[in-house]
Amino acid sequence: MTSSPLPETTIDHFRRDGAVKLSGVFDKDWIAELRDGIDRNMREPGTYAKEYTPEGKPGYFFGDYCNWQRIPEYDRFLKDSPAADLAGQLMGARKVVLFHEHVLVKEPGTEERTPWHHDQPYYCIEGTQTCSLWIPLDPVPREVCVEFVAGSHTWGKRFLPTKFKGEAYERGDEGLEPLPDIELQRGEHTILGWDMEPGDAIAFSFLTVHGAPGNPGTGGNRRRAFAARFCGDDVVYVKRKGEVSPPFPDVRLNHGDPLRGEEFPVLRG
């Protein structure tokens, strides 16, 4: 399914800031499909599922990824919804390849935040044409929305990946830098975040620094989010010097190969 053409101002904001809100780009049927998929995913967690809330703490922070091949609702959404077309417009790419999907659920009362980070150093890819769509399945007020450091995708830096529970990845000498303390330096940056409704999405580059608060109000909404990650024409597979996430253990590509195969289907182009 193709989407309506995005306004040039929206594309310009994505390329300038590294993150932009897309209002009302998915209809209620696609949101219902993703809710059903997340229900299935939480009943039947995948190989990479994580529970980030320590035992005895309030709320519940659940994450999982790389399940689209076994969860039909995810498969239908990624292949048949406007998501890939939206990403292609934003990236300016002729070809749109699925990298993976990532689900993050924060139930009411959850205190754990998603730490500040950017995604590309976690991944086995390099290139400039990248786009994630962060799609809320519940109303998300600004105070619990994922946040983005405007323009951080243009800093020309790669920051050391850190697991959401705090430990740094073992990555050898790749010239990765420690991430600055964004929370301490909030006043030095333009921090983007929005009130979000089901049907909206946030599009962002794999290099944009972002993080998210917890969902601490026990009387509030669940915060279910589905992130779809896409790559464009210039993105290639790379072999890192240490751990990557997702690990993609079965991929049979060489360093520098275009993404292809069952793990990375071409959705457009």
Side-chain angles (χ1 to χ4, degrees):
M1 181 181 293
T2 58
S3 62
S4 300
L6 290 169
E8 285 299 321
T9 53
T10 298
I11 297 172
D12 289 345
H13 288 165
F14 173 76
R15 296 178 184 174
R16 179 195 69 195
D17 295 336
V20 68
K21 177 180 176 179
L22 309 177
S23 297
V25 289
F26 298 109
D27 66 30
K28 60 181 176 54
D29 291 335
W30 285 123
I31 298 304
E33 187 94 346
L34 289 178
R35 287 172 176 162
D36 289 344
I38 286 182
D39 286 346
R40 184 194 300 264
N41 198 162
M42 295 183 76
R43 288 194 308 269
E44 304 167 12
T47 303
Y48 305 119
K50 298 285 191 301
E51 297 179 357
Y52 296 106
T53 299
E55 186 174 353
K57 295 288 291 294
Y60 182 57
F61 182 7
F62 170 87
D64 203 356
Y65 52 51
C66 295
N67 290 296
W68 65 268
Q69 290 169 303
R70 71 179 187 89
I71 294 182
E73 294 88 351
Y74 294 174
D75 183 73
R76 285 192 291 269
F77 176 84
L78 291 165
K79 293 179 178 177
D80 298 335
S81 82
D85 187 65
L86 291 167
Q89 291 186 59
L90 292 163
M91 295 187 295
R94 298 184 305 276
K95 178 179 71 174
V96 179
V97 179
L98 174 63
F99 187 43
H100 70 286
E101 98 294 330
H102 193 173
V103 166
L104 296 162
V105 177
K106 292 184 179 179
E107 301 288 4
T110 301
E111 298 173 352
E112 290 73 40
R113 63 171 292 116
T114 305
W116 291 101
H117 66 289
H118 62 182
D119 292 333
Q120 196 148 319
Y122 289 78
Y123 296 160
C124 57
I125 59 101
E126 279 295 341
T128 64
Q129 290 180 321
T130 64
C131 181
S132 285
L133 296 180
W134 188 90
I135 302 162
L137 308 185
D138 307 284
V140 177
R142 170 65 181 82
E143 58 267 23
V144 298
C145 183
V146 61
E147 298 184 304
F148 302 85
V149 181
S152 54
H153 64 308
T154 67
W155 288 352
K157 296 180 181 293
R158 297 289 192 278
F159 298 114
L160 184 66
T162 301
K163 297 178 182 179
F164 283 8
K165 289 191 174 181
E167 315 95 50
Y169 278 64
E170 293 291 336
R171 286 290 293 274
D173 181 18
E174 289 190 23
L176 298 167
E177 303 179 31
L179 182 71
D181 189 334
I182 301 297
E183 206 60 31
L184 187 65
Q185 301 174 3
R186 285 183 73 96
E188 301 175 22
H189 303 289
T190 299
I191 306 293
L192 304 176
W194 297 271
D195 291 318
M196 304 290 292
E197 294 292 333
D200 298 341
I202 300 171
F204 63 99
S205 162
F206 291 2
L207 282 172
T208 305
V209 174
H210 59 286
N215 188 22
T218 56
N221 293 313
R222 307 178 74 187
R223 205 218 67 177
R224 293 170 291 180
F226 181 91
R229 313 210 190 277
F230 302 103
C231 298
D233 307 315
D234 71 344
V235 175
V236 297
Y237 179 79
V238 295
K239 292 186 180 294
R240 302 288 188 193
K241 294 182 180 179
E243 184 179 3
V244 294
S245 175
F248 290 116
D250 299 323
V251 169
R252 297 292 181 265
L253 295 176
N254 296 315
H255 185 88
D257 282 349
L259 298 186
R260 61 177 183 267
E262 292 183 2
E263 294 88 355
F264 308 120
V266 176
L267 303 181
R268 300 289 185 274

